[in-house]
Amino acid sequence: MGFSTGDIVPFTLARANLSELAEQVKAGAEKVITKNGESYVALIDSDRLDYYHRLERERIHLLLIDDARRGLEDVVAGRTQEADAAIRSLQKRRAAATKSPARAAKRG
């Protein structure tokens, strides 16, 4: 959904006209409140906010399902390793990465 110039409201104007803005929002508008010329907050209907939250939860669930699908594909393809071995490998890489800058400083 795009915004028109009437949907962008300076903070001081929003404070002075909050009741009117709330009625416009309840009727379906969305307002962007600016402060010092920058986007600050948005004023939207609470039902629409709830809808946006439900969409975000759905997106997260879809991402988790996709991660699980890719993980199962890795298992089927044999691209797995024991958790303890993977953790040890990560710890070795981290230790090597933290030592490398120190070694370079000693040489310089």
Side-chain angles (χ1 to χ4, degrees):
M1 175 176 159
F3 290 98
S4 71
T5 55
D7 295 328
I8 300 170
V9 183
F11 189 84
T12 54
L13 187 61
R15 185 183 318 156
N17 298 301
L18 184 57
S19 293
E20 180 184 329
L21 290 174
E23 290 302 319
Q24 291 175 15
V25 167
K26 197 64 183 162
E30 293 181 347
K31 302 293 181 178
V32 174
I33 312 299
T34 61
K35 192 170 185 179
N36 299 323
E38 303 274 329
S39 292
Y40 187 58
V41 296
L43 188 60
I44 64 170
D45 180 70
S46 61
D47 290 336
R48 188 169 291 177
L49 178 62
D50 185 51
Y51 172 72
Y52 291 160
H53 283 227
R54 286 194 316 271
L55 281 178
E56 180 62 15
R57 283 192 301 273
E58 184 99 7
R59 185 185 75 81
I60 290 168
H61 291 155
L62 290 172
L63 289 172
L64 289 171
I65 289 169
D66 190 51
D67 284 348
R69 180 192 52 78
R70 284 184 284 142
L72 290 172
E73 289 173 357
D74 286 344
V75 169
V76 169
R79 296 184 299 258
T80 62
Q81 62 177 308
E82 293 293 320
D84 290 339
I87 291 170
R88 281 192 299 276
S89 175
L90 287 171
Q91 288 171 336
K92 285 180 185 176
R93 276 193 259 160
R94 285 184 184 153
T98 57
K99 289 180 183 177
S100 294
R103 286 183 186 162
K106 287 180 183 178
R107 290 184 202 148

